[in-house]
Amino acid sequence: MLVSEIMLQQTRVEAVIPFYQAFLARFPDAATLAGAAEEDVLTAWAGLGYYSRARNLRAAARRVASWLIRSAGSASSASANADTPTPRRR
């Protein structure tokens, strides 16, 4: 997962494991991370340093969540249009 890759940059695995587990417990998916306040993300990141990584991870989650919402909207619009009968000319 991207979170572990970012946390493990310049940090030992043994040091990261408890931070990783706590972070995923707090932010289990991209939507949760995207909707979190920056301060909450930085608090969960505390102890790992390089806080710009936490900000960038949250920004990435926001982009992913936005893309998923747009994709779901497009899919449901296409589905709704497919279910709507086409008017016939008389």
Side-chain angles (χ1 to χ4, degrees), residues 1-12 16 23 27 33 38 40-62:
M1 176 173 217
L2 183 61
V3 174
S4 64
E5 292 295 325
I6 292 172
M7 285 184 172
L8 286 168
Q9 292 175 355
Q10 299 179 342
T11 309
R12 293 184 345 267
V16 166
F23 196 86
F27 309 109
L33 180 57
E38 183 176 296
D40 293 339
V41 175
L42 296 177
T43 298
W45 197 268
L48 288 170
Y50 301 99
Y51 290 93
S52 63
R53 292 178 184 170
R55 288 184 188 94
N56 291 335
L57 184 61
R58 179 176 170 264
R62 292 173 69 116

